[in-house]
Amino acid sequence: MTLRVVIPPHPLISHWLSILRIESTPPPIYAAGLAQIGKWLSYEAIRDWIPYKKEKIITKRGQTEGLLVDQAIPIYVLPNMPGGFELWQGARELIPNSTLCIGKIPNSIENTAGVILYWDQICTGKSLLANLKLVKEQGIQQVQIRVITAVASSQGLKDIGELFPELTIYAACIDPEITETNELVPGIGNPLERLNTRMTEQH
Protein backbone atom coordinates (compact mmCIF):
# COMPACT_ATOMS: atom_id res chain seq x y z
CA MET A 1 0.00 0.00 0.00
CA THR A 2 0.99 3.65 -0.39
CA LEU A 3 0.36 6.65 1.81
CA ARG A 4 -3.10 8.10 1.20
CA VAL A 5 -3.27 11.90 1.15
CA VAL A 6 -6.76 13.40 0.87
CA ILE A 7 -7.23 17.04 -0.16
CA PRO A 8 -10.99 17.73 -0.12
CA PRO A 9 -12.10 20.11 -2.92
CA HIS A 10 -14.11 22.32 -0.59
CA PRO A 11 -14.23 26.09 -1.27
CA LEU A 12 -14.35 26.89 2.46
CA ILE A 13 -11.14 24.96 3.04
CA SER A 14 -9.47 26.83 0.17
CA HIS A 15 -10.77 30.15 1.51
CA TRP A 16 -9.37 29.65 4.99
CA LEU A 17 -6.08 28.36 3.61
CA SER A 18 -5.76 31.62 1.69
CA ILE A 19 -6.45 33.56 4.90
CA LEU A 20 -3.58 31.68 6.59
CA ARG A 21 -1.24 32.44 3.70
CA ILE A 22 -1.88 36.21 3.71
CA GLU A 23 1.00 37.82 5.58
CA SER A 24 -1.13 40.60 7.08
CA THR A 25 -3.79 38.34 8.61
CA PRO A 26 -4.03 39.30 12.32
CA PRO A 27 -3.53 36.61 15.01
CA PRO A 28 -7.23 36.19 15.97
CA ILE A 29 -8.23 35.64 12.33
CA TYR A 30 -5.24 33.37 11.77
CA ALA A 31 -6.39 31.27 14.74
CA ALA A 32 -9.92 31.20 13.31
CA GLY A 33 -8.51 30.04 9.99
CA LEU A 34 -6.74 27.10 11.59
CA ALA A 35 -9.89 26.21 13.53
CA GLN A 36 -12.05 26.28 10.41
CA ILE A 37 -9.61 24.14 8.43
CA GLY A 38 -9.44 21.73 11.35
CA LYS A 39 -13.22 21.53 11.42
CA TRP A 40 -13.77 20.86 7.73
CA LEU A 41 -10.85 18.45 7.35
CA SER A 42 -11.98 16.52 10.42
CA TYR A 43 -15.49 16.28 9.01
CA GLU A 44 -14.03 14.57 5.95
CA ALA A 45 -11.58 12.44 7.94
CA ILE A 46 -14.10 10.87 10.31
CA ARG A 47 -16.89 10.34 7.79
CA ASP A 48 -16.15 6.60 7.36
CA TRP A 49 -13.81 6.20 10.33
CA ILE A 50 -15.47 7.29 13.56
CA PRO A 51 -16.97 4.31 15.46
CA TYR A 52 -20.74 4.18 15.70
CA LYS A 53 -23.47 1.73 16.54
CA LYS A 54 -27.12 1.22 15.75
CA GLU A 55 -29.50 1.56 18.65
CA LYS A 56 -33.22 1.72 19.19
CA ILE A 57 -34.19 5.19 20.36
CA ILE A 58 -37.42 6.49 21.83
CA THR A 59 -39.04 9.52 20.24
CA LYS A 60 -42.18 11.38 21.22
CA ARG A 61 -44.02 9.42 18.51
CA GLY A 62 -42.62 5.99 19.19
CA GLN A 63 -39.51 3.93 18.61
CA THR A 64 -37.04 4.01 15.73
CA GLU A 65 -33.49 2.95 14.94
CA GLY A 66 -30.69 5.51 15.04
CA LEU A 67 -26.91 5.75 14.72
CA LEU A 68 -24.95 6.97 17.74
CA VAL A 69 -21.22 7.50 18.22
CA ASP A 70 -19.87 4.48 20.11
CA GLN A 71 -18.65 5.93 23.40
CA ALA A 72 -17.06 2.61 24.34
CA ILE A 73 -14.34 2.98 21.70
CA PRO A 74 -11.88 5.68 22.78
CA ILE A 75 -10.45 8.32 20.44
CA TYR A 76 -7.27 10.13 21.44
CA VAL A 77 -6.36 13.53 20.03
CA LEU A 78 -2.68 14.48 19.86
CA PRO A 79 -2.00 18.06 18.67
CA ASN A 80 1.32 19.81 18.19
CA MET A 81 1.49 23.20 19.84
CA PRO A 82 0.25 25.78 19.25
CA GLY A 83 -0.99 25.38 15.66
CA GLY A 84 -2.24 21.81 15.93
CA PHE A 85 -4.20 22.76 19.03
CA GLU A 86 -5.96 25.51 17.05
CA LEU A 87 -6.86 22.96 14.36
CA TRP A 88 -8.34 20.79 17.11
CA GLN A 89 -10.32 23.71 18.54
CA GLY A 90 -12.40 23.78 15.38
CA ALA A 91 -12.91 20.02 15.34
CA ARG A 92 -13.73 19.22 18.96
CA GLU A 93 -17.51 19.47 18.57
CA LEU A 94 -17.37 16.87 15.79
CA ILE A 95 -15.74 14.23 18.00
CA PRO A 96 -17.64 14.25 21.28
CA ASN A 97 -16.07 11.09 22.71
CA SER A 98 -12.43 12.10 22.20
CA THR A 99 -9.72 12.62 24.82
CA LEU A 100 -7.28 15.50 24.31
CA CYS A 101 -3.66 14.63 25.14
CA ILE A 102 -1.27 17.54 25.67
CA GLY A 103 2.41 17.23 26.45
CA LYS A 104 2.99 13.59 25.69
CA ILE A 105 1.38 10.45 24.36
CA PRO A 106 -0.37 8.32 27.02
CA ASN A 107 1.70 5.44 28.40
CA SER A 108 -0.99 2.99 27.41
CA ILE A 109 -3.58 3.20 24.66
CA GLU A 110 -6.35 0.63 24.24
CA ASN A 111 -5.80 -1.53 21.16
CA THR A 112 -9.28 -0.64 19.93
CA ALA A 113 -8.65 3.11 20.13
CA GLY A 114 -8.49 5.60 17.29
CA VAL A 115 -5.81 8.30 17.26
CA ILE A 116 -5.96 11.67 15.48
CA LEU A 117 -2.84 13.80 15.20
CA TYR A 118 -3.40 17.51 14.49
CA TRP A 119 -0.27 19.06 12.95
CA ASP A 120 -0.51 22.64 11.67
CA GLN A 121 1.95 21.86 8.88
CA ILE A 122 4.22 19.05 7.73
CA CYS A 123 7.58 20.39 6.57
CA THR A 124 10.31 17.76 6.90
CA GLY A 125 7.86 15.51 8.73
CA LYS A 126 10.41 14.63 11.44
CA SER A 127 8.36 15.78 14.44
CA LEU A 128 5.23 14.05 13.16
CA LEU A 129 7.20 10.86 12.44
CA ALA A 130 8.58 10.84 15.97
CA ASN A 131 5.05 10.93 17.38
CA LEU A 132 3.74 8.35 14.91
CA LYS A 133 6.48 5.98 16.04
CA LEU A 134 5.46 6.46 19.67
CA VAL A 135 1.85 5.69 18.79
CA LYS A 136 2.97 2.60 16.89
CA GLU A 137 4.89 1.42 19.95
CA GLN A 138 1.56 1.40 21.81
CA GLY A 139 0.31 -1.25 19.39
CA ILE A 140 -1.94 1.05 17.35
CA GLN A 141 -2.27 0.04 13.70
CA GLN A 142 -1.93 2.60 10.91
CA VAL A 143 -5.58 2.17 9.89
CA GLN A 144 -6.55 3.37 13.38
CA ILE A 145 -4.72 6.68 12.87
CA ARG A 146 -5.69 9.88 11.06
CA VAL A 147 -3.48 12.95 10.55
CA ILE A 148 -5.03 16.40 10.03
CA THR A 149 -2.78 19.18 8.72
CA ALA A 150 -3.32 22.54 7.07
CA VAL A 151 -0.50 22.12 4.57
CA ALA A 152 2.24 19.59 3.84
CA SER A 153 5.38 19.38 1.75
CA SER A 154 5.88 16.78 -0.95
CA GLN A 155 9.16 15.67 0.61
CA GLY A 156 7.70 15.38 4.09
CA LEU A 157 4.85 13.22 2.80
CA LYS A 158 7.30 11.04 0.90
CA ASP A 159 9.39 10.40 4.02
CA ILE A 160 6.29 9.64 6.10
CA GLY A 161 4.94 7.31 3.42
CA GLU A 162 8.12 5.24 3.42
CA LEU A 163 7.66 4.37 7.10
CA PHE A 164 3.86 4.51 7.37
CA PRO A 165 2.52 3.39 3.97
CA GLU A 166 -0.96 2.57 5.29
CA LEU A 167 -1.51 5.95 6.92
CA THR A 168 -4.17 8.44 5.79
CA ILE A 169 -3.47 12.19 5.95
CA TYR A 170 -6.03 14.95 5.36
CA ALA A 171 -4.61 18.28 4.20
CA ALA A 172 -5.81 21.54 2.69
CA CYS A 173 -2.90 21.66 0.26
CA ILE A 174 0.50 20.23 -0.69
CA ASP A 175 3.25 22.82 -1.08
CA PRO A 176 6.05 21.83 -3.48
CA GLU A 177 9.06 23.53 -1.88
CA ILE A 178 10.94 23.75 1.41
CA THR A 179 13.53 26.45 2.10
CA GLU A 180 16.96 25.79 3.61
CA THR A 181 15.50 26.80 6.97
CA ASN A 182 12.71 24.18 6.61
CA GLU A 183 9.89 26.58 5.79
CA LEU A 184 7.17 25.70 3.32
CA VAL A 185 6.77 27.72 0.11
CA PRO A 186 4.34 29.43 -0.17
CA GLY A 187 3.42 28.11 3.27
CA ILE A 188 1.34 29.62 6.08
CA GLY A 189 4.14 31.19 8.09
CA ASN A 190 5.23 30.14 11.58
CA PRO A 191 2.12 29.58 13.75
CA LEU A 192 4.17 30.14 16.89
CA GLU A 193 4.83 33.72 15.74
CA ARG A 194 1.57 34.36 13.95
CA LEU A 195 -0.52 33.33 16.97
CA ASN A 196 1.56 35.57 19.26
CA THR A 197 2.52 32.53 21.32
CA ARG A 198 5.57 31.98 23.49
CA MET A 199 6.52 28.45 24.46
CA THR A 200 8.02 28.28 27.94
CA GLU A 201 9.34 25.44 30.06
CA GLN A 202 8.18 24.83 33.61
CA HIS A 203 10.88 24.64 36.28
Side-chain angles (χ1 to χ4, degrees):
M1 296 182 67
T2 58
L3 177 72
R4 181 170 177 249
V5 181
V6 180
I7 302 176
H10 199 299
L12 284 176
I13 294 175
S14 298
H15 166 80
W16 286 109
L17 175 63
S18 297
I19 296 299
L20 296 183
R21 292 200 191 281
I22 295 171
E23 185 178 10
S24 60
T25 297
I29 305 302
Y30 187 87
L34 285 171
Q36 287 295 315
I37 285 177
K39 175 180 179 179
W40 294 109
L41 288 179
S42 296
Y43 176 83
E44 295 293 336
I46 67 175
R47 184 196 301 268
D48 300 316
W49 182 80
I50 193 169
Y52 65 88
K53 57 184 178 180
K54 293 181 179 180
E55 285 191 3
K56 291 191 181 299
I57 55 177
I58 306 299
T59 76
K60 184 177 180 180
R61 300 299 180 186
Q63 192 178 82
T64 187
E65 186 175 71
L67 295 180
L68 296 173
V69 172
D70 192 345
Q71 304 285 345
I73 299 178
I75 295 178
Y76 292 94
V77 169
L78 310 174
N80 73 332
M81 299 294 283
F85 181 75
E86 294 295 343
L87 287 173
W88 157 241
Q89 288 286 75
R92 62 189 309 170
E93 66 182 277
L94 302 179
I95 316 169
N97 64 322
S98 60
T99 299
L100 177 63
C101 305
I102 296 178
K104 65 177 184 177
I105 293 172
N107 293 326
S108 62
I109 299 178
E110 298 89 332
N111 58 15
T112 59
V115 177
I116 307 177
L117 292 97
Y118 285 88
W119 241 247
D120 52 76
Q121 53 191 325
I122 300 173
C123 299
T124 64
K126 290 182 180 179
S127 63
L128 177 58
L129 273 172
N131 282 270
L132 286 170
K133 289 175 182 178
L134 291 174
V135 173
K136 181 180 179 182
E137 290 173 3
Q138 297 289 341
I140 301 300
Q141 303 299 311
Q142 294 178 45
V143 294
Q144 296 169 252
I145 302 170
R146 290 290 183 270
V147 175
I148 309 292
T149 185
V151 63
S153 73
S154 301
Q155 184 60 50
L157 292 173
K158 178 178 179 296
D159 293 345
I160 291 169
E162 289 176 355
L163 294 177
F164 290 87
E166 298 177 43
L167 188 67
T168 301
I169 296 177
Y170 285 78
C173 183
I174 298 175
D175 279 353
E177 298 180 47
I178 307 179
T179 67
E180 293 181 355
T181 55
N182 294 328
E183 294 182 30
L184 290 171
V185 179
I188 60 172
N190 183 345
L192 193 64
E193 298 173 354
R194 300 197 64 184
L195 291 167
N196 281 348
T197 304
R198 179 180 295 179
M199 302 297 285
T200 59
E201 295 183 4
Q202 293 183 346
H203 297 284

